[in-house]
Each structure stands twice: as structure tokens, then as C-alpha cells.
Amino acid sequence: MAQLDSCTFDNIPSWLTRYRSGQTVFAEGETANRIFRVESGCIRLQVNGSDGVRQIISFVFSGEFFGCSADDQSFSAEAVSATILRCWSTRSMLSCGARSVDVAIALINFANAQVSEMAHHLEKVSHLTATARVRWFLSNMRNREDLCKHSGRLDLPMTRRDIADYLSLSAETLSRTIQELEGEGFLQRAGRRGVWLRGQTPQPGIKEAQQCSPASPDDN
Amino acid sequence: MAQLDSCTFDNIPSWLTRYRSGQTVFAEGETANRIFRVESGCIRLQVNGSDGVRQIISFVFSGEFFGCSADDQSFSAEAVSATILRCWSTRSMLSCGARSVDVAIALINFANAQVSEMAHHLEKVSHLTATARVRWFLSNMRNREDLCKHSGRLDLPMTRRDIADYLSLSAETLSRTIQELEGEGFLQRAGRRGVWLRGQTPQPGIKEAQQCSPASPDDN
DNA sequence: CGACAGATTGATCCGTCTCAAGCGTGGTGG
DNA sequence: CCACCACGCTTGAGACGGATCAATCTGTCG
């Protein structure tokens, strides 16, 4: 999800709301009247298939925006964990965008980043094996420093089922894949939501200090 | 892809360009400096995976817009068939959007429609069987009256390979699925790109005639 | 401490992919 | 205008990855 320049919106009135784990922020089809930024916690955006199967489109983390629409919401939003959101009125945001180039461009950029993310999500989910999907997901997650309380240790806010629905895998396959990656030394499970990442997948850009791990002998 | 209110942009200078089948309009990563509307023909938006596999994100038809971005393009665009495009400068479009509420809202709506389409594309591709995906695709296509020169007869501009890459199927599976649907009486192939649709899928959410049953009375 | 939802593990099945040939259409050149 | 060619499409056989069904285990929370 897009990083909007927060300063751009500082002059527009906003307020805070609080959600419990699992609570719905808005549902698909609902009229969009607010834009949100995650202050703390995590939100999942999802569409529900006709057969009740759920596809998670995106996880939204601290500092990121969602819900920007001038029409109806095209997906629903639910809290993955206890979450605090900052809200703006869509109306005031748009009318401000009509007066300020910065705001208008920020909104366009935001929407475009969303499209970009989804396009690549679709590409990954369609063409990668289960193992590659999980590696891709974890590599994305490790770049969010707010999830890494300790170096290399990921504390994921979402359940296995959430991850499975994000990657279009069954929960069983996801579990087996994680087990397999643990056998390879790529990761180590720590409780139900925690993961120690060992394999230093060279991410584009940042590479942070690893602890005592030897350079991964296995291939990527 | 979104329908923008064309009138909104009538006051912004534009020009026409022509593309041959297969020609690239822009590539992923390229700086976005134009917004396009299809005057005639068809455009495909796609991302290319690292392994060379191609995922088609969307087909863009006559009257629809694409390429709206204030940053770099997050996918590439190629002509499916001979195509004429109307182009606007992104700069002039955005600065106009900063002065006109209509234009700003139109741009937001456009981006949002794109997100909505992709979210549901992802959901369909992830959870439907090959047969259901093809039915879904054809049902979408049949609603484009510009493709139906005769009632019920679809003249698709794209190849099987294109459709397969859109639905995340192999070309072989797509072919077999079409054959199967022909056996059920859902469609009938007419040349390489043409399809007669028999099954009257009444669009929104209605269950259509059963498939595996004894020869649906072949009405046309 | 106890209970329950979520996670894991196992066995089996099915759908789709892959590799490999033929076939037909539509376009090209004579 | 016709014959030919090439590419895209079709069809077949086999393999495999992930889904499904079912049972058990384990963290987390009351």
C-alpha cells in the first residue's frame, strides 16, 4: 500500500477511531466517505467470492493509507489485530485536492501505487510455486521494521489463514511449506505468529545487520 | 478499465497516435508522461515475471482510458490489434485536475475502478476452475457491444495466448476448456477468433443452465 | 489450569501443467 | 486467384503440485 506524504494532509481535519481484532472497518459496496491511515496495528483488504472464499488483496500497516475512493468501496476492510486509524472525510480530502496540486498528485500516486502492488501480487500468486510465494511474502514482511522488534525476528500480526488467503494457498499447504522452509534453514518458527528469518534474501535496497548467522549456504 | 466522462477532458489539448498489432505503447518502469484513451482497437496491460512469464492485467477497449500515473508505469501496454489512441499530457491533465474538481474526481474514480477490477480479477483467477474462468471471461466480453457485430457472435481481438495469460491458464488448458464448453453447447467456435455464445448468461449473478445435463435443448 | 480456535501432520485425489505431435486458418507470394 | 507456408491452435498422454478430508497437536486466552 502506498506511503502518502503525511504532511500533505496535516491541514485537513481528521480524527481517530479504534478497532478490535476482526472488526470490520467497511464492507464492499458501502459508500466511501472516509480515507484512513493506520496509526498502529494492521488492516486487511479483501474481496469475498461468491462461494464464500476470501481473497486478501493487501495488508495495510502503520503509516499507510487505504479506503481512498470517490465512489463505493470495491473491497472490504477488517482489522487484523487491535488497530487505531486516523480518518479524513473523503469530501474534504477531494475538495482540498481540487485546490492543491500536492494533494491531487498525492491521491493519484496513492491510487497508482495500489494498482502497481496489486498487479504484481496477481503476477506472483499466479505464477509462483507455494514455496516461492511464501518466500516472497516473508521477504516483503521483513522490510517492515515495525514488525521486527528484534533483528531478524518477525512478529506477524496475521494468522496462517490470513496469509494463506493472501497467497491463494490452502492453510494446510502453507503450513507444510513453512515446515519445509524451516527444514532448509530459511526460517525458524517462534510461537504461533513469530518467525526467525535466517536466509539473507538480498532484498533490493536495505540490508540490515544479521545476527550470528553464517552466510546462507543454500541457494536462494 | 474505467469509463471516464470524456467531456471532462475536452478542454485539455490532446492528439492521436496509431499502433500496429503487437506494438508497445509503453514499458514497465518507463516514466509516465501521457494518458491514453482507446479510440479504436484494443490494448493489453501486462507485467512480465522474472521468469519471462507474462501476466495480462487488463484488456482496454474503445472509449476506455489507461496509463494514468504521476510516477513510473507499473506495467507495460501493448496493442492487441491495430489501435488508435488519443493522448493527453499527464502534466497538463494533473495541473488541470488541481484546478477542477471534476477532473480530480474523475482521475480518482478512474484509478479506483482500476483497483476494483484488478481485485476481482485476482479473486476470480485464484479461486475459479478453468471452466469457470473462461465462462467469466466470455461473459465479460459479451457485454462489450462493439465486439458483437452480430447478436451473440463475439469477434475477439486477442489470441488464445492472450486470453490464457489473462486467466492464468496454459494455452492448452484454455483450448481444452473451450472445447469442453462447445460440447456443452455454451458456445460454438467460429474461425480462429470468433465465438457464438449460446448459453444466455443473464449477467448479474443469475444461475445459468446446467452444464453436464443431457443436451440442453440447443436453442439459439 | 482448562478449553477452544488455530495450526500441524498425514493420506489421497483431482485439476492443471508440461512435453510432444498433428492440424487448420489466415496471410503471403507467385 | 490460387497454392503454399507458417504460426497459432488443437489434441493426446503422463506427471506433479496443491487441494481436500480427517485426525491430532499446541498456543493462547479466559
Side-chain angles (χ1 to χ4, degrees):
Chain A
M1 206 50 45
Q3 283 283 1
L4 279 179
D5 179 11
S6 307
C7 302
T8 308
F9 302 110
D10 278 351
N11 297 326
I12 307 175
S14 65
W15 66 96
L16 294 176
T17 51
R18 181 183 302 272
Y19 294 87
R20 282 187 299 277
S21 174
Q23 208 174 345
T24 298
V25 179
F26 57 77
E28 182 174 352
E30 206 168 285
T31 303
N33 49 22
R34 289 171 297 168
I35 293 176
F36 306 88
R37 184 179 67 199
V38 177
E39 298 295 302
S40 68
C42 178
I43 294 289
R44 59 171 182 257
L45 308 181
Q46 60 191 52
V47 294
N48 293 26
S50 48
D51 51 353
V53 187
R54 170 181 85 150
Q55 175 65 49
I56 293 184
I57 299 303
S58 183
F59 294 108
V60 191
F61 295 96
S62 181
E64 300 175 331
F65 286 77
F66 69 98
C68 176
S69 169
D71 204 338
D72 288 351
Q73 299 292 359
S74 50
F75 41 73
S76 58
E78 298 179 5
V80 168
S81 54
T83 300
I84 299 175
L85 300 179
R86 181 169 293 280
C87 313
W88 286 266
S89 153
T90 303
R91 179 186 306 274
S92 66
M93 189 73 96
L94 284 178
S95 66
C96 181
R99 288 191 303 274
S100 156
V101 184
D102 287 347
V103 172
I105 290 183
L107 290 175
I108 297 292
N109 275 336
F110 162 73
N112 197 251
Q114 214 176 12
V115 170
S116 173
E117 179 189 321
M118 286 182 50
H120 290 93
H121 184 190
L122 175 58
E123 191 265 320
K124 298 294 183 193
V125 158
S126 299
H127 296 305
L128 298 184
T129 64
T131 308
R133 279 183 239 182
V134 174
R135 298 176 102 107
W136 171 71
F137 174 77
L138 291 175
S139 295
N140 285 348
M141 287 301 113
R142 86 175 309 159
N143 289 339
R144 313 190 162 278
E145 67 288 347
D146 53 320
L147 297 183
C148 297
K149 296 190 182 65
H150 322 75
S151 72
R153 156 77 175 272
L154 269 179
D155 288 305
L156 299 170
M158 69 287 285
T159 66
R160 290 282 135 91
R161 171 129 300 279
D162 285 335
I163 300 174
D165 287 347
Y166 178 75
L167 296 177
S168 293
L169 293 172
S170 68
E172 294 92 335
T173 298
L174 174 64
S175 185
R176 269 183 270 269
T177 302
I178 289 176
Q179 178 194 23
E180 179 191 329
L181 288 173
E182 191 167 29
E184 293 173 6
F186 179 80
L187 60 83
Q188 187 174 338
R189 282 174 279 195
R192 191 157 281 191
R193 303 273 179 95
V195 179
W196 291 92
L197 286 183
R198 301 275 189 76
Q200 300 302 331
T201 31
Q203 269 309 101
I206 313 104
K207 61 189 55 170
E208 60 236 16
Q210 62 266 33
Q211 56 275 27
C212 54
S213 74
S216 58
D218 56 323
D219 57 352
N220 58 344
Chain B
M1 207 49 45
Q3 285 283 2
L4 278 179
D5 180 10
S6 306
C7 302
T8 308
F9 302 110
D10 278 353
N11 297 326
I12 307 175
S14 66
W15 65 97
L16 294 176
T17 51
R18 182 182 301 272
Y19 294 87
R20 281 189 297 278
S21 175
Q23 210 175 343
T24 298
V25 180
F26 58 76
E28 181 175 351
E30 207 170 285
T31 303
N33 48 23
R34 289 172 297 170
I35 292 176
F36 305 89
R37 185 180 65 199
V38 177
E39 298 294 302
S40 69
C42 179
I43 294 289
R44 58 170 183 259
L45 308 180
Q46 60 192 50
V47 294
N48 293 26
S50 47
D51 50 353
V53 187
R54 169 180 85 149
Q55 175 65 50
I56 293 183
I57 299 304
S58 184
F59 293 109
V60 192
F61 295 96
S62 181
E64 300 174 329
F65 285 78
F66 69 97
C68 176
S69 170
D71 205 336
D72 289 351
Q73 298 292 359
S74 50
F75 40 73
S76 58
E78 299 179 3
V80 168
S81 55
T83 300
I84 298 176
L85 300 179
R86 181 170 293 280
C87 313
W88 286 265
S89 152
T90 303
R91 180 186 306 273
S92 67
M93 189 73 96
L94 283 178
S95 65
C96 181
R99 287 191 304 273
S100 157
V101 185
D102 286 347
V103 173
I105 289 183
L107 290 174
I108 298 291
N109 276 336
F110 162 73
N112 197 250
Q114 215 176 12
V115 169
S116 173
E117 179 189 321
M118 287 183 49
H120 290 93
H121 183 189
L122 175 58
E123 191 265 319
K124 298 293 183 192
V125 158
S126 299
H127 296 305
L128 297 185
T129 65
T131 308
R133 280 183 239 182
V134 174
R135 296 178 104 107
W136 173 70
F137 175 75
L138 290 174
S139 296
N140 285 349
M141 287 301 113
R142 86 175 311 160
N143 288 339
R144 313 189 163 279
E145 68 289 345
D146 54 322
L147 297 182
C148 296
K149 296 189 183 66
H150 322 74
S151 73
R153 158 76 174 273
L154 269 178
D155 289 305
L156 299 170
M158 68 289 284
T159 65
R160 290 282 137 88
R161 162 101 271 138
D162 285 334
I163 300 175
D165 287 346
Y166 179 76
L167 296 177
S168 294
L169 292 173
S170 69
E172 295 93 333
T173 298
L174 174 63
S175 185
R176 269 184 270 267
T177 302
I178 289 177
Q179 179 194 24
E180 180 191 329
L181 288 174
E182 192 168 29
E184 293 173 6
F186 180 79
L187 59 83
Q188 186 174 339
R189 283 173 279 194
R192 189 156 283 189
R193 304 273 179 93
V195 179
W196 291 94
L197 287 183
R198 301 275 190 76
Q200 300 303 333
T201 28
Q203 255 332 78
I206 303 177
K207 278 274 196 264
E208 64 245 359
Q210 64 291 358
Q211 48 251 32
C212 52
S213 67
S216 49
D218 197 51
D219 56 333
N220 48 358

